[in-house]
């Protein structure tokens, strides 16, 4: 399988590193073109990837082409590659937030163009990603299965209708930043009480990792797990009530509302 990337920024490079870590594809079978020649050439050289002189050359070279570019530039790029897309049996995989399959087909002026809309997150880099996928009607079952296989190699996958992509962005695409921010905040409190930041980061990250694993492996709900940690009259309930007094749950839901709104107003 030959996999192309148009745009090699944070997200595409995370996908590439994750794929290479599990030998999903040979480095030379990854074709890249991006905005800044010096940057993508250096990245390609470091990992042994094949560089292309243009976005259209990526479409000519690869079977599956990921669109790893910012939403504001997507229309221009689809117009740039639309003739090549017509000529090649290529499957476009768009990770661009807020842009529907129908909008992409319209930009390509081609309802037969094969497109899978996805929403990954940065943890694909360590093969612990969470990716939503939705193919358009032109994508064959085997082609969609190949796309699912790519992202299964990078973590967990879920097929979702497009109407659910905005909430998925908040819960999985953007949420690593919220979770890193939570880890940083908790660790900073550790520094306040005399730990080094390095010690505190490691302690908190392990506590988050263990808690996440627990949620994934138990039949209990997260709320029941909260109760299990709160000893009557103990430390945890004191901290938990202070967290809620400061509006913890409301803050989290407000972050999700703002993310969904931004995704829908792109
Ligand atoms: N960063 C993340 O955690 C996630 C990002 N996404 C989506 O992935 C897309 C890419 O995001 P990032 O990688 O974070 O952005 P980024 O800014 O790191 O990367 C964008 C890339 O596009 C390239 N580019 C600009 N003009 C180009 C052109 N004319 N032709 C080819 N390439 C061009 C840039 O050189 C850059 O490498 C966005 O649509 C974003 O919404 C989705 C899920 C998670
Ligand atoms: O911030 C963004 O727009 C992208 C989408 C999900 C994560 N990063």
């Amino acid at each position: 399988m030959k996999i192309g990337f148009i745009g090699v920024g944070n997200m595409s490079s995370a996908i590439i590193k994750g794929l290479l870590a599990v030998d999903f594809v040979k480095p030379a079978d990854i074709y890249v073109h991006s905005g800044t020649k010096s940057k993508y050439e250096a990245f390609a050289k470091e990992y042994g990837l094949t560089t292309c002189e243009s976005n259209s050359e990526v479409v000519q070279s690869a079977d599956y082409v990921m669109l790893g570019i910012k939403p504001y530039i997507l229309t221009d790029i689809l117009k740039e590659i639309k003739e090549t897309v017509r000529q090649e049996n290529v499957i476009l995989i768009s990770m661009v937030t807020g842009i529907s399959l129908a909008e992409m087909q319209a930009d390509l002026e081609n309802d037969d163009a094969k497109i899978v809309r996805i929403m990954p997150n940065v943890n694909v880099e360590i093969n612990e990603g969470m990716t939503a996928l939705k193919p358009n009607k032109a994508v064959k079952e085997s082609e969609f299965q190949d796309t699912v296989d790519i992202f299964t190699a990078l973590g967990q996958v879920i097929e979702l209708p497009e109407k659910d992509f905005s909430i998925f962005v908040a819960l999985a695409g953007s949420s690593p930043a919220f979770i890193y921010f939570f880890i940083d905040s908790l660790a900073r409190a550790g520094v306040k009480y005399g730990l080094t930041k390095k010690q505190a980061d490691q302690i908190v990250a392990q506590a988050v990792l263990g808690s996440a694993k627990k949620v994934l492996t138990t039949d209990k709900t997260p709320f029941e797990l909260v109760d299990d940690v709160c000893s009557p009259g103990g430390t945890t309930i004191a901290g938990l009530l202070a967290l809620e007094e400061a509006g913890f749950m409301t803050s989290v839901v407000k972050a999700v509302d703002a993310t969904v709104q931004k995704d829908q107003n792109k």
Side-chain angles (χ1 to χ4, degrees), residues 6-13 33-36 55 67-73 77 80 95-97 118-122 173-174 266:
I6 291 180
V8 190
N10 289 318
M11 196 58 232
S12 293
S13 55
H33 180 81
S34 195
T36 313
N55 291 324
L67 302 171
I69 53 215
K70 295 287 189 191
Y72 74 89
I73 205 177
I77 288 185
E80 182 188 326
M95 65 188 82
V96 179
T97 44
I118 62 158
M119 182 46 54
N121 73 14
V122 281
S174 296
K266 280 244 166 71

Side-chain angles (χ1 to χ4, degrees), residues 207-221 225 228:
V208 170
L209 177 69
S211 307
K213 277 192 177 167
K214 181 79 177 178
V215 171
L216 290 173
T217 53
T218 179
D219 290 337
K220 290 185 175 179
T221 66
L225 294 174
D228 287 350

Side-chain angles (χ1 to χ4, degrees), residues 75-212:
T75 294
D76 285 348
I77 288 185
L78 291 178
K79 287 189 188 311
E80 182 188 326
I81 63 173
K82 74 176 177 197
E83 287 313 321
T84 320
V85 169
R86 256 181 224 287
Q87 291 155 17
E88 304 287 335
N89 183 29
V90 69
I91 293 94
L92 300 176
I93 302 176
S94 170
M95 65 188 82
V96 179
T97 44
I99 315 280
S100 68
L101 290 163
E103 286 170 301
M104 289 185 269
Q105 286 164 206
D107 282 339
L108 288 164
E109 296 173 47
N110 182 357
D111 283 348
D112 297 326
K114 298 175 179 184
I115 314 174
V116 181
R117 183 176 172 189
I118 62 158
M119 182 46 54
N121 73 14
V122 281
N123 295 328
V124 293
E125 181 173 341
I126 53 161
N127 308 90
E128 289 288 356
M130 181 69 237
T131 303
L133 304 100
K134 179 68 196 170
N136 73 355
K137 289 204 174 92
V139 176
K140 288 188 202 148
E141 219 173 289
S142 62
E143 295 163 338
F144 182 56
Q145 190 54 51
D146 282 347
T147 315
V148 168
D149 290 347
I150 294 172
F151 287 92
T152 302
L154 296 170
Q156 300 294 317
V157 298
I158 183 169
E159 189 177 348
L160 281 182
E162 283 194 282
K163 72 172 178 55
D164 292 336
F165 266 58
S166 291
I167 183 59
F168 185 87
V169 172
L171 296 192
S174 296
S175 73
F178 308 155
I179 294 160
Y180 301 144
F181 195 47
F182 173 74
I183 291 173
D184 186 71
S185 304
L186 200 51
R188 249 165 238 286
V191 175
K192 183 179 174 190
Y193 284 87
L195 297 177
T196 67
K197 187 66 183 350
K198 197 172 172 193
Q199 282 175 323
D201 282 343
Q202 280 173 356
I203 292 166
V204 175
Q206 178 59 33
V208 170
L209 177 69
S211 307

Side-chain angles (χ1 to χ4, degrees), residues 6 32-33 40 52-60 80:
I6 291 180
V32 295
H33 180 81
Y40 77 81
C52 294
E53 285 303 314
S54 67
N55 291 324
S56 295
E57 194 186 321
V58 177
V59 176
Q60 278 164 351
E80 182 188 326

